[in-house]
């Protein structure tokens, strides 16, 4: 019988390249923190290893500082604390008085990071990052968690994107709202949002175009899709998640910044972490975009996409 792989196994397996790179270059196996931080060569190796994992300069400097200041007995514990701190979602406390409440009476309970804030999630990202398969995997995830799901096939520009989503929809038993190939993506989005509302479905995941003739048009198109969803269903989409391919590293992050300027992201899904030794890219994503990572993908199977948890991620990265 094939042993059922747990998410921890999949995550460790998926992060194997980044872990190997860190272990090999940082040489922190079994090192005592005090001797390590007194050893300039070792600290430099750690710095290089973090940079090679795409952690980025500013975060690497912060991590080194907090490792040096740590009171933990061993390096792994100190490094683990520092990495988790970098990966925790930014504090998005509302500005004092912004909702008319006094500053000491702000709501403390935030929705869990994987629980969408409303009923419609608009999913954006450039072609090839794994957007369509991510939508299918998200659909499966939420169904397994007892939610009713719908898909909106809003990528009318990529030949076969709609057909691909239809295949997934049939497989999962998820209704798919389709438009005409080459047709208006905003019309599909409106139709899908309208149907979701009428049927009372828990969650609509809207696929969007990843490429048009030029980037300016793409941004305008996405803004239009966003607006139109709000016309069909006020207050939606509650979430805009961008799918990023980890293999594209810093380039992907630069792209995400442009998208974030055009349409405010509420979350990021990072795919293909199994294909890269640069799994540190999650840190500048959180730091520079200021939005939380919602899910991560470490393979092609449906179970290879799971909610992101900083402590779990760091454990898998540093596991010996
Ligand atoms: P789209 O153009 O962004 O919609 O991309 P697709 O959804 O068509 O996916 C492109 C390819 O990436 C497919 O072969 C997926 O199976 C693959 N893919 C998606 N996520 C992952 C992942 O986490 N790891 C690996 N290795 N492949 C993935």
């Amino acid at each position: 019988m094939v042993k059922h792989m747990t998410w921890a196994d999949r995550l460790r397996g998926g992060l194997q390249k980044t872990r190997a790179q860190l272990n090999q270059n940082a040489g922190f196996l079994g090192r005592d923190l005090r001797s390590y931080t007194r050893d300039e060569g070792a600290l430099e190796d750690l710095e290089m290893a973090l940079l090679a994992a795409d952690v980025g300069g500013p975060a690497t400097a912060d991590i080194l500082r907090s490792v040096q200041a740590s009171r933990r007995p061993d390096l792994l514990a100190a490094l683990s604390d520092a990495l988790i701190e970098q990966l925790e979602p930014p504090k998005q406390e509302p500005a004092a008085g912004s909702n008319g409440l006094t500053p000491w009476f702000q709501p403390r309970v935030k929705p869990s990071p994987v629980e969408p804030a409303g009923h419609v999630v608009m999913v954006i990202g450039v072609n090839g990052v794994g957007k369509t398969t991510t939508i299918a995997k998200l659909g499966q995830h939420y169904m397994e968690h007892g939610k009713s799901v719908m898909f909106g096939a809003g990528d009318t520009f990529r030949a076969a994107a709609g057909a691909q989503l239809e295949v997934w929809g049939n497989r999962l038993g998820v209704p798919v709202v389709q438009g005409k190939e080459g047709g208006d993506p905003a019309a599909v989005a409106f139709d899908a949002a309208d149907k979701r509302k009428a049927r009372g479905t828990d969650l609509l995941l809207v696929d969007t175009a990843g490429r048009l003739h030029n980037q300016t048009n793409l941004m305008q198109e996405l803004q239009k899709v966003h607006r139109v969803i709000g016309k069909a269903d006020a207050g939606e989409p509650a979430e805009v998640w961008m799918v990023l391919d980890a293999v594209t590293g810093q380039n992907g992050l630069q792209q995400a910044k442009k998208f974030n300027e055009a349409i405010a992201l509420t979350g990021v899904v990072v795919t293909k972490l199994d294909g890269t030794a640069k799994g540190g890219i999650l840190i500048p994503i959180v730091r520079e975009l200021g939005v939380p990572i919602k899910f991560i993908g470490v393979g092609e199977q449906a179970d290879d996409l799971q909610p992101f948890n900083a402590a779990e991620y760091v454990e898998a990265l540093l596991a010996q």
Side-chain angles (χ1 to χ4, degrees), residues 126-133 137 158 164 271-272 274 297-300:
V126 301
N127 283 354
V129 294
K131 185 159 42 75
T132 309
T133 45
K137 291 173 183 175
R158 181 163 70 94
Q164 196 184 335
T271 60
K272 308 192 195 179
D274 52 315
V298 294
E300 301 206 54

Side-chain angles (χ1 to χ4, degrees), residues 110-236:
K110 285 181 236 162
S112 127
V114 274
E115 192 68 42
H119 296 288
V120 183
V121 180
M122 184 174 160
V123 184
I124 66 179
V126 301
N127 283 354
V129 294
K131 185 159 42 75
T132 309
T133 45
T134 294
I135 288 172
K137 291 173 183 175
L138 287 172
Q140 179 164 339
H141 172 88
Y142 284 112
M143 281 177 79
E144 283 168 0
H145 287 80
K147 288 194 189 297
S148 53
V149 178
M150 260 173 82
F151 295 148
D155 185 358
T156 53
F157 292 97
R158 181 163 70 94
Q164 196 184 335
L165 208 55
E166 189 74 46
V167 170
W168 279 109
N170 287 339
R171 205 179 289 170
L172 298 170
V174 168
V176 184
V177 177
Q178 292 280 1
K180 284 195 210 82
E181 199 169 306
D184 181 4
V188 183
F190 184 91
D191 191 21
D194 197 43
K195 287 203 165 87
R196 200 263 352 131
K197 195 177 160 192
R199 293 179 196 173
T201 305
D202 295 325
L203 183 65
L204 166 66
L205 296 160
V206 181
D207 196 7
T208 58
R211 206 175 85 166
L212 295 182
H213 307 297
N214 69 54
Q215 291 300 328
T216 322
N217 285 347
L218 176 59
M219 299 305 171
Q220 285 171 357
E221 191 64 58
L222 293 173
Q223 287 167 338
K224 185 173 162 197
V225 167
H226 192 275
R227 266 196 317 274
V228 153
I229 291 173
K231 282 189 186 151
D233 193 358
E236 301 287 356

Side-chain angles (χ1 to χ4, degrees), residues 67-87:
V67 163
Q68 283 172 288
S70 173
R71 286 159 178 253
R72 300 275 249 155
D74 67 288
L75 176 68
L76 273 181
L79 187 55
S80 161
D81 290 348
L83 292 172
I84 292 170
E85 196 187 324
Q86 292 287 327
L87 285 164

